Amino acid sequence: MRVTLAIIILLLVPGLPYRASQANYTPSFDGEEAFNHLVAQTDFGPRPPGSDNLTKCRNYIINELEQIGWTVSLQTFTYMDTFITNIVAEWPSRSPSFFVVGAHYDTRPYADQESDPTDRTLPVLGANDGASGASVLLELARVLPESIRGSVEFVFFDAEDSGNINGWDWIVGSTYYVDQLD
Ligand SMILES: [Zn+2]
C-alpha cells in the first residue's frame, strides 16, 4: 500500500517522472503544452510594460518555472518612469558559461502598424508577438534533459516592443540584461 501510494505521488508531482528516467530520456517538445501557456498569457489581456496584466503574466511564468525546479531571479530597473522586470531562470547547478535562450513577454501598447487606421490605438493582445516566444521557453524548460540544464539560462525580457511609442526605444529589457553581464 505504501509503495502504491509512493508511486502515485511520484506520478502526480510535475517534473519527477522526467528526472526519474533521465538515463533513457528523449526530449519531446509538446506543442499542446506550449499552446496552453500561450492561452494562459493572452487570458491576462494586453500586457504592455508597467501594466497589471503584465505583472499577472510575470507571476504565471515565475510559478511555472519554479514548479519544475528552476531558480528564478528578477532583474528590475526603471525606464521612462516605468518599472521594468526581466525574469531569469537558471538551474540550481548552473555552470559559469552558459547559453542564453530568451524571448520577450511584454506586448506592444498600441497596434500602430494595423492596416485599419481605426484599430491603431488599440493595444496588441500579443498571442504571437509576446506570448508564443515565452511559451516555447516554458515548454523547453520542462523538457530539457537535466544533463544540460546547467548550461542554459532562460530569460524572459520586458520592455522589448514599445519602440517609437511615447519616446520609448526598442529592446530595452535585453539591452539592460546584456549590460549587466560580466
Ligand atoms: Zn516582439
Side-chain angles (χ1 to χ4, degrees):
M1 189 64 188
R2 199 175 281 174
V3 173
T4 312
L5 190 66
I7 291 171
I8 290 170
I9 289 170
L10 200 70
L11 291 173
L12 289 177
V13 176
L16 276 183
Y18 302 99
R19 289 181 209 173
S21 59
Q22 282 294 307
N24 305 310
Y25 176 57
T26 305
S28 174
F29 187 98
D30 188 334
E32 223 165 287
E33 289 279 340
F35 193 76
N36 290 339
H37 288 309
L38 182 147
V39 172
Q41 290 174 84
T42 53
D43 278 352
F44 294 123
R47 303 167 303 285
S51 66
D52 288 344
N53 288 352
L54 190 64
T55 300
K56 289 175 190 161
C57 182
R58 177 163 54 250
N59 290 338
Y60 170 82
I61 291 171
I62 293 168
N63 188 45
E64 290 296 311
L65 291 164
E66 288 183 340
Q67 270 186 24
I68 49 177
W70 291 86
T71 301
V72 178
S73 58
L74 301 179
Q75 201 174 47
T76 57
F77 61 100
T78 303
Y79 175 81
M80 302 290 269
D81 295 326
T82 305
F83 208 47
I84 309 298
T85 307
N86 292 330
I87 306 166
V88 180
E90 63 179 57
W91 200 241
S93 56
R94 203 201 64 192
S95 66
S97 58
F98 53 88
F99 292 95
V100 174
V101 184
H104 73 85
Y105 71 104
D106 64 309
T107 56
R108 190 158 174 80
Y110 304 110
D112 59 327
Q113 302 297 309
E114 184 58 59
S115 51
D116 183 346
T118 57
D119 288 341
R120 288 180 190 163
T121 54
L122 296 175
V124 176
L125 184 58
N128 185 25
D129 197 354
S132 67
S135 300
V136 168
L137 261 58
L138 285 173
E139 176 59 1
L140 275 178
R142 186 180 74 85
V143 302
L144 210 63
E146 238 184 85
S147 56
I148 58 171
R149 289 185 183 188
S151 307
V152 174
E153 188 163 279
F154 288 109
V155 189
F156 300 74
F157 298 111
D158 191 357
E160 292 290 279
D161 259 15
S162 301
N164 300 334
I165 292 179
N166 300 329
W168 279 55
D169 208 346
W170 296 95
I171 58 167
V172 173
S174 58
T175 301
Y176 184 86
Y177 171 82
V178 170
D179 286 345
Q180 300 302 305
L181 289 173
D182 294 333

